[in-house]
Amino acid sequence: MTPPHRQPSRRRTAVLATVPVAVAALLGAAGPTAAGTAGAPGAGDPYFPLSGNGGYDVRHYDLTLNYDTGSRRLDATAVLTARATRKLTRFDLDLKGLKVTAVTVDRTEADFRRDGQELVVTPRHTLREGRQFRVAVAYHGTPRPVTDPDGSADGWIATDDGAFVAGEPQGAMTWFPANGHPKDKASYDFTITVPKGRTAVANGVLLGQRTAHGRTTFRWRETQPMAAYLATATIGRFQVERYTTRDGIQVYNAVDAREARAAAPVLKKLPAVLAWESKLFGPYPFRAAGSIVDHAPEVGYALETQTRPLYDSAPDLDTLVHESAHQWFGDSVSLTAWKDIWLNEGFATYAEWLYTEQHGGRSAQRTFDALYARPASDGLWAYPPGDPGSGARIFGTPVYARGAMALHELRRAVGDRDFFRILRAWATGHRGGHGTTAQFVRLAEKTSGKQVDGLLRTWLYTPGKPDRP
């Protein structure tokens, strides 16, 4: 996500009261599970209780989308391949709005009902634990974004020429039925049909496109595990640029003509930015890369949609570095709980500091010092980044800036050699999976041979402005 201090963003914190956080937060905790044979209607995340579902893991999404940019109607079918993690007589999918017309489980008609953002599915036969099954959902309607606790919009956001599709933290359910918590990652296929003259851009590699009867169909595939909020199907009138980097990464840039002139000099630096980040963090984790630069001034933020970050306007270089760093920190290495969002945003923000430091700009220490000079009453110290306290706060300044400051203090404590070994080990050791703050603390101590849990506890979990060591 674009750091709020870089370009206008509605992802602001609404409440500035400090929240005491137990030291035990460093140890992590598993979410609750549902008893019985019904899948839980949530994944147990306290910030977003209904996000995700229990009882199954999705392995693959196959999404077929037909969107009319004039009427803004979506006609779609989603086929999910999943594995039951317990005996299931019914299970939930996250889907908000949109009318469901049919649901099948393993090609047999299933009963279903709506309950708020939950699509509750009852298969004809009980699914035994460990069984792989396929659920197909046919649906249609006018997708509308969801309003997040901080007042911002995410999900399917209609634009004057298509749609800006950015799902963090809970917007995936506005356009496809999903197990919407980052704990459940899957591969994806997208088949998106739009009016001729429009381009539909999703994640991964473009497999092909064809035009017939005034409409164009685009087929995309992301084979690497991806959280639902990182999926996109952005549509617009785009200028397209395609090339392959020296490292074999397939780049696809889609740019709204109204943003092309401003975006061009920054996007030209993308291969060099990815090469620089690869040296620091380990090999780029995906086959594809690129950018989607839309003209959507009402959105107010960018998002690190996997393989192809999405920008609401032409990005500056800091924003490009930030969203590219998320491909390692947040996309490849994903969250298990939204309270750990600093592992995404603090790391991507610190990548900006490092890039500036190593490309002739001010040092990370000077950036840290300028921030630390802010008074104790400043919003930077309003709450601890390691557990912001609610979903309304996860995109606030403490998560970004104080999260980056925590990493800088770790760097000072262990030295550059071990610090950069820690960053690389974190990104490569958890590649394609998940990570927690507790795991990061253990890795830092194992790699450096130094006890840093107290320092990180202070910077991540202690309310107020920390004292300098």
Side-chain angles (χ1 to χ4, degrees), residues 52-53 56-64 77-82 92-94 134-135 137 139 172-173 175-191 220-229 231:
N53 302 283
Y56 65 93
D57 290 323
V58 181
R59 302 297 181 86
H60 184 72
Y61 291 88
D62 191 342
L63 306 178
T64 302
T77 301
V79 179
L80 287 66
T81 302
D92 286 23
L93 296 168
D94 298 325
R134 297 178 71 200
V135 54
V137 181
Y139 58 101
M173 64 181 174
W175 60 285
F176 69 97
N179 196 2
H181 195 276
K183 287 197 294 189
D184 191 2
K185 299 168 70 170
S187 57
Y188 282 74
D189 275 293
F190 306 84
T191 302
W220 294 90
R221 174 170 294 164
E222 173 54 287
T223 59
Q224 295 300 308
M226 179 168 69
Y229 80 87

Side-chain angles (χ1 to χ4, degrees), residues 185-271:
K185 299 168 70 170
S187 57
Y188 282 74
D189 275 293
F190 306 84
T191 302
I192 311 169
T193 301
V194 293
K196 181 181 178 181
R198 303 302 203 277
T199 299
V201 191
N203 313 86
V205 174
L206 179 65
L207 299 182
Q209 67 184 75
R210 60 179 177 83
T211 299
H213 309 296
R215 298 183 67 77
T216 304
T217 298
F218 297 82
R219 294 175 54 239
W220 294 90
R221 174 170 294 164
E222 173 54 287
T223 59
Q224 295 300 308
M226 179 168 69
Y229 80 87
L230 295 169
T232 190
T234 293
I235 298 163
R237 296 186 184 273
F238 295 126
Q239 298 176 0
V240 173
E241 175 189 31
R242 300 178 68 178
Y243 60 89
T244 301
T245 70
R246 293 179 178 179
D247 295 328
I249 302 167
Q250 298 181 43
V251 175
Y252 186 105
N253 292 326
V255 182
D256 188 296
R258 292 166 287 187
E259 302 291 339
R261 183 174 180 179
V266 177
L267 296 187
K268 187 176 181 180
K269 295 180 182 292
L270 178 60

